[in-house]
Amino acid sequence: MTTMNFQPIFSKPNKRPILVAGPCSAETEEQVLSTAHQLKATQEIDLFRAGIWKPRTRPNSFEGVGTVGLKWLKRVKEETGLKVTTEVANREHVFEALKYGVDVLWLGARTTVNPFSVQEIADAIEGMDIPVMIKNPINPDLNLWIGAIERIYKAGIRRIGVVHRGFSQHGNSQYRNEPRWNIAIELMRQFPELTIICDNSHICGNRTLLAPVAQKAMDLNYHGLMTETHPTPDTAWSDANQQITPEAFGDLVNNLVLRSVDSDDEMFLENLDGLRQQIDLLDDDLLKLLGARMEVSRKIGEYKKENNISILQPSRWNEILKIAQHKGSEKGLSASFMERYLQAVHHESIDQQNKIMNK
Ligand code: PEP
Ligand code: MN
């Protein structure tokens, strides 16, 4: 695909991030309107969200009020002047949402994952001038996320934004959906003009982590936040554990520390430059050492080949990992970093030895 030229969905607000807020689901007309009015009264936002059709993991959960909720969103627009957005997952959703004047469409994580669904939506909006936000797919597959962006772009949509809501995982985690920040960072690197919003609600799954995750997104230069808000979060019909009141949302936003990308303070820039030079030199040293390590590894490969010994020796690998994690912790390096680092080095070693063995 040739380079994509995106246009912004939002005009950049002054001194605060782009804010998308509103309930997980539209439940009743009263709940939707009171959320919107309370938000309007406590915190300036750019877009009001509410799910009308809800993709739920298990059947018999609340699956959204359907089309009737679109009338409530229309009232939100009329009474508050806020722009509104909802999730669309098929052609009918698109047509219904547009009929009721929804300003921005969003693709949910379970839609981005499926190219057939994404294409169906792309075909439905072909040639229209409607902004679209695309959530990351539930699985940590950057190309699937990019593929969805490309499908929507090919339909002629230029106002595209992405929403990082974290990725499903197996096993225990403090998050409902692991953020895996590196995937979003790589997306930003490849598409620097794309607006990126952090959905801290679906990453966290609970209220306690919302603020630190939002802060981390700000520190990584995300453009905005999408946060689920509800007048009485505990009684919400979906995602009760992670929703907060409009007032708590206002506090969360006000407590964010916003840092600038650049500075023109010369002293600061000079010091920063010095530190960066040190990093560059250390990176060079690390590379030299890694090169030397691989050379030894290749020698071992030759040696194993001559003696007809297999490459992989799991007992040795476990031993190396344990020792490295211990040594790493003394240097302030986390066990998970040590594991990822050693795994990368180990895989490269195995690849190189494999080439030698099969030469
Ligand atoms: C939502 O925003 O309420 C939602 C269903 O999100 P996701 O697609 O990220 O699970
Ligand atoms: Mn939700």
Side-chain angles (χ1 to χ4, degrees):
M1 178 122 183
T2 48
T3 48
M4 294 187 275
N5 294 306
F6 302 106
Q7 283 161 14
I9 298 182
F10 309 91
S11 49
K12 180 97 189 73
N14 220 349
K15 295 201 168 97
R16 65 162 176 81
I18 293 162
L19 297 174
V20 184
C24 176
S25 303
E27 299 165 5
T28 65
E29 184 162 26
E30 211 274 313
Q31 168 252 7
V32 170
L33 283 151
S34 72
T35 314
H37 282 292
Q38 286 179 33
L39 276 167
K40 186 88 187 169
T42 46
Q43 174 60 53
E44 193 189 11
I45 65 169
D46 300 281
L47 190 61
F48 181 80
R49 64 150 282 156
I52 300 291
W53 301 281
K54 300 302 296 179
R56 304 309 300 277
T57 304
R58 308 282 296 267
N60 306 324
S61 311
F62 171 60
E63 295 195 311
V65 291
T67 305
V68 66
L70 293 169
K71 294 195 183 128
W72 310 338
L73 287 183
K74 198 153 171 267
R75 264 193 76 186
V76 167
K77 286 180 63 158
E78 288 160 1
E79 292 184 19
T80 65
L82 288 169
K83 288 192 156 66
V84 299
T85 183
T86 199
E87 172 175 353
V88 291
N90 61 38
R91 181 183 296 112
E92 283 70 40
H93 294 168
V94 170
F95 293 148
E96 287 296 305
L98 294 177
K99 202 159 79 193
Y100 286 89
V102 167
D103 299 285
V104 176
L105 305 177
W106 99 68
L107 271 59
R110 292 160 197 77
T111 301
T112 307
V113 86
N114 182 352
F116 287 132
S117 302
V118 176
Q119 194 56 53
E120 179 177 324
I121 293 165
D123 292 341
I125 54 178
E126 169 112 49
M128 292 181 187
D129 185 24
I130 179 90
V132 179
M133 297 188 296
I134 303 172
K135 288 204 178 193
N136 66 257
I138 45 181
N139 56 332
D141 183 341
L142 177 58
N143 276 328
L144 207 47
W145 200 359
I146 294 175
I149 298 167
E150 287 171 336
R151 284 176 198 280
I152 299 297
Y153 187 88
K154 278 174 75 177
I157 307 298
R158 294 296 172 266
R159 286 187 288 161
I160 297 178
V162 293
V163 180
H164 175 209
R165 51 78 78 196
F167 302 90
S168 288
Q169 77 264 324
H170 181 68
N172 288 340
S173 165
Q174 57 179 328
Y175 301 106
R176 176 176 175 192
N177 292 293
E178 277 293 330
R180 294 178 179 252
W181 299 99
N182 59 313
I183 293 179
I185 289 169
E186 176 56 19
L187 185 68
M188 290 189 230
R189 191 190 66 76
Q190 290 189 34
F191 304 100
E193 322 121 86
L194 205 50
T195 301
I196 179 158
I197 293 192
C198 173
D199 174 346
N200 54 343
S201 301
H202 290 89
I203 288 179
C204 295
N206 65 63
R207 289 170 206 145
T208 42
L209 291 171
L210 286 177
V213 166
Q215 183 61 52
K216 170 115 183 190
M218 293 302 102
D219 293 343
L220 292 171
N221 288 321
Y222 280 52
H223 304 101
L225 295 175
M226 181 193 267
T227 305
E228 290 184 339
T229 54
H230 192 287
T232 53
D234 286 330
T235 68
W237 298 0
S238 60
D239 291 351
N241 293 340
Q242 71 197 26
Q243 302 208 58
I244 53 175
T245 61
E247 198 191 342
F249 177 65
D251 291 342
L252 185 151
V253 173
N254 286 324
N255 287 325
L256 288 171
V257 181
L258 301 176
R259 303 176 224 271
S260 36
V261 188
D262 274 319
S263 159
D264 41 25
D265 177 335
E266 292 210 355
M267 183 74 169
F268 164 79
L269 289 175
E270 226 168 81
N271 287 338
L272 185 65
D273 203 45
L275 291 169
R276 284 184 170 156
Q277 279 176 20
Q278 281 183 41
I279 291 268
D280 288 348
L281 290 173
L282 287 167
D283 277 343
D284 283 348
D285 287 351
L286 282 173
L287 259 185
K288 261 183 233 148
L289 286 171
L290 271 176
R293 190 193 189 283
M294 282 310 155
E295 210 166 295
V296 175
S297 178
R298 285 192 292 270
K299 266 189 204 138
I300 294 179
E302 304 276 3
Y303 200 56
K304 281 181 183 164
K305 186 178 180 178
E306 280 163 29
N307 292 280
N308 220 14
I309 304 272
S310 67
I311 296 177
L312 191 67
Q313 284 158 325
S315 57
R316 170 148 170 79
W317 165 238
N318 278 330
E319 197 185 315
I320 292 178
L321 179 60
K322 246 203 266 148
I323 295 171
Q325 283 179 325
H326 178 71
K327 286 187 182 163
S329 74
E330 287 172 352
K331 303 237 176 305
L333 302 169
S334 71
S336 82
F337 168 73
M338 289 310 296
E339 182 166 356
R340 276 178 286 135
Y341 156 73
L342 270 185
Q343 230 149 25
V345 172
H346 190 231
H347 281 173
E348 179 65 15
S349 251
I350 289 181
D351 278 355
Q352 300 222 5
Q353 292 191 1
N354 220 347
K355 273 192 204 124
I356 289 166
M357 295 283 219
N358 297 304
K359 201 158 56 187

